[in-house]
PDB file of all heavy atoms in Angstrom:
ATOM      1  N   ALA A 331      17.369 -20.507 -46.102  1.00 91.00           N
ATOM      2  CA  ALA A 331      17.765 -21.417 -45.025  1.00 91.00           C
ATOM      3  C   ALA A 331      16.952 -21.085 -43.781  1.00 91.00           C
ATOM      4  O   ALA A 331      16.370 -19.999 -43.681  1.00 91.00           O
ATOM      5  CB  ALA A 331      19.264 -21.275 -44.747  1.00 91.00           C
ATOM      6  N   ASP A 332      16.914 -22.006 -42.848  1.00 93.00           N
ATOM      7  CA  ASP A 332      16.151 -21.810 -41.616  1.00 93.00           C
ATOM      8  C   ASP A 332      16.635 -20.561 -40.884  1.00 93.00           C
ATOM      9  O   ASP A 332      17.832 -20.244 -40.895  1.00 93.00           O
ATOM     10  CB  ASP A 332      16.297 -23.020 -40.698  1.00 93.00           C
ATOM     11  CG  ASP A 332      15.753 -24.302 -41.318  1.00 93.00           C
ATOM     12  OD1 ASP A 332      15.118 -24.218 -42.394  1.00 93.00           O
ATOM     13  OD2 ASP A 332      15.969 -25.374 -40.733  1.00 93.00           O
ATOM     14  N   LEU A 333      15.697 -19.867 -40.251  1.00 94.00           N
ATOM     15  CA  LEU A 333      16.062 -18.690 -39.465  1.00 94.00           C
ATOM     16  C   LEU A 333      15.029 -18.436 -38.385  1.00 94.00           C
ATOM     17  O   LEU A 333      13.942 -19.022 -38.394  1.00 94.00           O
ATOM     18  CB  LEU A 333      16.245 -17.451 -40.353  1.00 94.00           C
ATOM     19  CG  LEU A 333      15.114 -17.005 -41.291  1.00 94.00           C
ATOM     20  CD1 LEU A 333      13.991 -16.324 -40.548  1.00 94.00           C
ATOM     21  CD2 LEU A 333      15.678 -16.055 -42.327  1.00 94.00           C
ATOM     22  N   ALA A 334      15.393 -17.549 -37.463  1.00 96.00           N
ATOM     23  CA  ALA A 334      14.477 -17.129 -36.397  1.00 96.00           C
ATOM     24  C   ALA A 334      14.276 -15.626 -36.520  1.00 96.00           C
ATOM     25  O   ALA A 334      15.209 -14.892 -36.862  1.00 96.00           O
ATOM     26  CB  ALA A 334      15.054 -17.477 -35.029  1.00 96.00           C
ATOM     27  N   VAL A 335      13.046 -15.192 -36.272  1.00 96.00           N
ATOM     28  CA  VAL A 335      12.725 -13.770 -36.391  1.00 96.00           C
ATOM     29  C   VAL A 335      11.983 -13.290 -35.145  1.00 96.00           C
ATOM     30  O   VAL A 335      11.341 -14.065 -34.452  1.00 96.00           O
ATOM     31  CB  VAL A 335      11.853 -13.477 -37.642  1.00 96.00           C
ATOM     32  CG1 VAL A 335      12.601 -13.819 -38.912  1.00 96.00           C
ATOM     33  CG2 VAL A 335      10.521 -14.194 -37.577  1.00 96.00           C
ATOM     34  N   ASP A 336      12.109 -11.997 -34.925  1.00 95.00           N
ATOM     35  CA  ASP A 336      11.351 -11.339 -33.867  1.00 95.00           C
ATOM     36  C   ASP A 336      10.585 -10.198 -34.524  1.00 95.00           C
ATOM     37  O   ASP A 336      11.193  -9.353 -35.205  1.00 95.00           O
ATOM     38  CB  ASP A 336      12.300 -10.804 -32.792  1.00 95.00           C
ATOM     39  CG  ASP A 336      11.555 -10.216 -31.608  1.00 95.00           C
ATOM     40  OD1 ASP A 336      10.351 -10.510 -31.438  1.00 95.00           O
ATOM     41  OD2 ASP A 336      12.168  -9.442 -30.853  1.00 95.00           O
ATOM     42  N   LEU A 337       9.262 -10.167 -34.388  1.00 95.00           N
ATOM     43  CA  LEU A 337       8.435  -9.113 -34.976  1.00 95.00           C
ATOM     44  C   LEU A 337       8.643  -7.823 -34.191  1.00 95.00           C
ATOM     45  O   LEU A 337       8.490  -7.804 -32.976  1.00 95.00           O
ATOM     46  CB  LEU A 337       6.960  -9.511 -34.955  1.00 95.00           C
ATOM     47  CG  LEU A 337       6.485 -10.468 -36.050  1.00 95.00           C
ATOM     48  CD1 LEU A 337       7.193 -11.804 -35.997  1.00 95.00           C
ATOM     49  CD2 LEU A 337       4.987 -10.662 -35.978  1.00 95.00           C
ATOM     50  N   LEU A 338       9.000  -6.753 -34.885  1.00 95.00           N
ATOM     51  CA  LEU A 338       9.321  -5.497 -34.210  1.00 95.00           C
ATOM     52  C   LEU A 338       8.133  -4.554 -34.090  1.00 95.00           C
ATOM     53  O   LEU A 338       8.160  -3.644 -33.269  1.00 95.00           O
ATOM     54  CB  LEU A 338      10.479  -4.808 -34.939  1.00 95.00           C
ATOM     55  CG  LEU A 338      11.781  -5.608 -34.939  1.00 95.00           C
ATOM     56  CD1 LEU A 338      12.859  -4.865 -35.697  1.00 95.00           C
ATOM     57  CD2 LEU A 338      12.232  -5.892 -33.513  1.00 95.00           C
ATOM     58  N   VAL A 339       7.115  -4.723 -34.905  1.00 92.00           N
ATOM     59  CA  VAL A 339       5.891  -3.926 -34.793  1.00 92.00           C
ATOM     60  C   VAL A 339       4.776  -4.890 -34.446  1.00 92.00           C
ATOM     61  O   VAL A 339       4.397  -5.738 -35.253  1.00 92.00           O
ATOM     62  CB  VAL A 339       5.570  -3.171 -36.109  1.00 92.00           C
ATOM     63  CG1 VAL A 339       4.270  -2.401 -35.975  1.00 92.00           C
ATOM     64  CG2 VAL A 339       6.718  -2.242 -36.484  1.00 92.00           C
ATOM     65  N   ARG A 340       4.289  -4.759 -33.244  1.00 83.00           N
ATOM     66  CA  ARG A 340       3.253  -5.690 -32.776  1.00 83.00           C
ATOM     67  C   ARG A 340       1.900  -5.284 -33.350  1.00 83.00           C
ATOM     68  O   ARG A 340       1.489  -4.122 -33.205  1.00 83.00           O
ATOM     69  CB  ARG A 340       3.170  -5.689 -31.249  1.00 83.00           C
ATOM     70  CG  ARG A 340       4.468  -6.015 -30.574  1.00 83.00           C
ATOM     71  CD  ARG A 340       4.827  -7.451 -30.740  1.00 83.00           C
ATOM     72  NE  ARG A 340       6.095  -7.729 -30.062  1.00 83.00           N
ATOM     73  CZ  ARG A 340       6.879  -8.733 -30.380  1.00 83.00           C
ATOM     74  NH1 ARG A 340       6.536  -9.557 -31.338  1.00 83.00           N
ATOM     75  NH2 ARG A 340       8.007  -8.929 -29.743  1.00 83.00           N
ATOM     76  N   PRO A 341       1.194  -6.200 -33.994  1.00 78.00           N
ATOM     77  CA  PRO A 341      -0.146  -5.864 -34.476  1.00 78.00           C
ATOM     78  C   PRO A 341      -1.112  -5.718 -33.315  1.00 78.00           C
ATOM     79  O   PRO A 341      -0.891  -6.277 -32.237  1.00 78.00           O
ATOM     80  CB  PRO A 341      -0.523  -7.063 -35.352  1.00 78.00           C
ATOM     81  CG  PRO A 341       0.315  -8.184 -34.834  1.00 78.00           C
ATOM     82  CD  PRO A 341       1.585  -7.579 -34.289  1.00 78.00           C
ATOM     83  N   ASN A 342      -2.181  -4.955 -33.537  1.00 70.00           N
ATOM     84  CA  ASN A 342      -3.206  -4.809 -32.503  1.00 70.00           C
ATOM     85  C   ASN A 342      -3.846  -6.154 -32.230  1.00 70.00           C
ATOM     86  O   ASN A 342      -4.215  -6.878 -33.161  1.00 70.00           O
ATOM     87  CB  ASN A 342      -4.291  -3.817 -32.942  1.00 70.00           C
ATOM     88  CG  ASN A 342      -3.786  -2.388 -32.910  1.00 70.00           C
ATOM     89  OD1 ASN A 342      -2.797  -2.081 -32.264  1.00 70.00           O
ATOM     90  ND2 ASN A 342      -4.462  -1.518 -33.631  1.00 70.00           N
ATOM     91  N   ALA A 343      -3.975  -6.474 -30.970  1.00 63.00           N
ATOM     92  CA  ALA A 343      -4.622  -7.735 -30.612  1.00 63.00           C
ATOM     93  C   ALA A 343      -6.089  -7.719 -31.018  1.00 63.00           C
ATOM     94  O   ALA A 343      -6.652  -8.729 -31.393  1.00 63.00           O
ATOM     95  CB  ALA A 343      -4.482  -7.989 -29.120  1.00 63.00           C
ATOM     96  N   GLU A 344      -6.700  -6.551 -30.944  1.00 63.00           N
ATOM     97  CA  GLU A 344      -8.101  -6.436 -31.320  1.00 63.00           C
ATOM     98  C   GLU A 344      -8.352  -5.035 -31.853  1.00 63.00           C
ATOM     99  O   GLU A 344      -7.689  -4.084 -31.482  1.00 63.00           O
ATOM    100  CB  GLU A 344      -9.020  -6.708 -30.137  1.00 63.00           C
ATOM    101  CG  GLU A 344      -8.852  -5.706 -28.996  1.00 63.00           C
ATOM    102  CD  GLU A 344      -9.778  -6.014 -27.824  1.00 63.00           C
ATOM    103  OE1 GLU A 344      -9.580  -7.057 -27.191  1.00 63.00           O
ATOM    104  OE2 GLU A 344     -10.676  -5.201 -27.573  1.00 63.00           O
ATOM    105  N   THR A 345      -9.279  -4.939 -32.766  1.00 60.00           N
ATOM    106  CA  THR A 345      -9.678  -3.643 -33.287  1.00 60.00           C
ATOM    107  C   THR A 345     -10.987  -3.256 -32.632  1.00 60.00           C
ATOM    108  O   THR A 345     -11.984  -3.966 -32.766  1.00 60.00           O
ATOM    109  CB  THR A 345      -9.862  -3.710 -34.822  1.00 60.00           C
ATOM    110  OG1 THR A 345      -8.620  -4.099 -35.398  1.00 60.00           O
ATOM    111  CG2 THR A 345     -10.267  -2.362 -35.365  1.00 60.00           C
ATOM    112  N   ARG A 346     -10.977  -2.174 -31.902  1.00 64.00           N
ATOM    113  CA  ARG A 346     -12.193  -1.748 -31.215  1.00 64.00           C
ATOM    114  C   ARG A 346     -13.188  -1.212 -32.225  1.00 64.00           C
ATOM    115  O   ARG A 346     -12.840  -0.423 -33.112  1.00 64.00           O
ATOM    116  CB  ARG A 346     -11.850  -0.682 -30.186  1.00 64.00           C
ATOM    117  CG  ARG A 346     -10.990  -1.215 -29.056  1.00 64.00           C
ATOM    118  CD  ARG A 346     -10.721  -0.159 -28.039  1.00 64.00           C
ATOM    119  NE  ARG A 346     -11.946   0.571 -27.698  1.00 64.00           N
ATOM    120  CZ  ARG A 346     -12.016   1.455 -26.722  1.00 64.00           C
ATOM    121  NH1 ARG A 346     -10.953   1.735 -26.013  1.00 64.00           N
ATOM    122  NH2 ARG A 346     -13.135   2.078 -26.481  1.00 64.00           N
ATOM    123  N   PRO A 347     -14.457  -1.620 -32.119  1.00 65.00           N
ATOM    124  CA  PRO A 347     -15.458  -1.177 -33.088  1.00 65.00           C
ATOM    125  C   PRO A 347     -15.730   0.319 -33.043  1.00 65.00           C
ATOM    126  O   PRO A 347     -16.153   0.904 -34.031  1.00 65.00           O
ATOM    127  CB  PRO A 347     -16.709  -1.985 -32.722  1.00 65.00           C
ATOM    128  CG  PRO A 347     -16.490  -2.430 -31.312  1.00 65.00           C
ATOM    129  CD  PRO A 347     -15.003  -2.550 -31.128  1.00 65.00           C
ATOM    130  N   ASP A 348     -15.456   0.964 -31.897  1.00 64.00           N
ATOM    131  CA  ASP A 348     -15.727   2.394 -31.783  1.00 64.00           C
ATOM    132  C   ASP A 348     -14.513   3.247 -32.131  1.00 64.00           C
ATOM    133  O   ASP A 348     -14.556   4.463 -32.049  1.00 64.00           O
ATOM    134  CB  ASP A 348     -16.211   2.741 -30.374  1.00 64.00           C
ATOM    135  CG  ASP A 348     -15.204   2.334 -29.295  1.00 64.00           C
ATOM    136  OD1 ASP A 348     -14.346   1.469 -29.573  1.00 64.00           O
ATOM    137  OD2 ASP A 348     -15.291   2.883 -28.186  1.00 64.00           O
ATOM    138  N   ALA A 349     -13.410   2.599 -32.532  1.00 61.00           N
ATOM    139  CA  ALA A 349     -12.187   3.339 -32.849  1.00 61.00           C
ATOM    140  C   ALA A 349     -12.299   3.960 -34.244  1.00 61.00           C
ATOM    141  O   ALA A 349     -12.852   3.364 -35.161  1.00 61.00           O
ATOM    142  CB  ALA A 349     -10.981   2.415 -32.791  1.00 61.00           C
ATOM    143  N   VAL A 350     -11.742   5.156 -34.379  1.00 61.00           N
ATOM    144  CA  VAL A 350     -11.634   5.785 -35.684  1.00 61.00           C
ATOM    145  C   VAL A 350     -10.324   5.322 -36.288  1.00 61.00           C
ATOM    146  O   VAL A 350      -9.284   5.345 -35.641  1.00 61.00           O
ATOM    147  CB  VAL A 350     -11.642   7.326 -35.550  1.00 61.00           C
ATOM    148  CG1 VAL A 350     -11.402   7.979 -36.901  1.00 61.00           C
ATOM    149  CG2 VAL A 350     -12.961   7.789 -34.958  1.00 61.00           C
ATOM    150  N   ARG A 351     -10.383   4.869 -37.551  1.00 58.00           N
ATOM    151  CA  ARG A 351      -9.183   4.347 -38.183  1.00 58.00           C
ATOM    152  C   ARG A 351      -8.881   5.113 -39.452  1.00 58.00           C
ATOM    153  O   ARG A 351      -9.775   5.671 -40.089  1.00 58.00           O
ATOM    154  CB  ARG A 351      -9.351   2.868 -38.516  1.00 58.00           C
ATOM    155  CG  ARG A 351      -9.597   2.030 -37.274  1.00 58.00           C
ATOM    156  CD  ARG A 351      -9.271   0.602 -37.490  1.00 58.00           C
ATOM    157  NE  ARG A 351      -7.870   0.429 -37.813  1.00 58.00           N
ATOM    158  CZ  ARG A 351      -7.370  -0.738 -38.210  1.00 58.00           C
ATOM    159  NH1 ARG A 351      -8.149  -1.770 -38.360  1.00 58.00           N
ATOM    160  NH2 ARG A 351      -6.095  -0.848 -38.490  1.00 58.00           N
TER     161      ARG A 351
END
Side-chain angles (χ1 to χ4, degrees):
D332 298 352
L333 55 76
V335 297
D336 185 18
L337 280 61
L338 298 179
V339 178
R340 304 289 180 203
N342 287 341
E344 63 180 66
T345 300
R346 294 182 46 172
D348 58 340
V350 175
R351 299 201 62 188

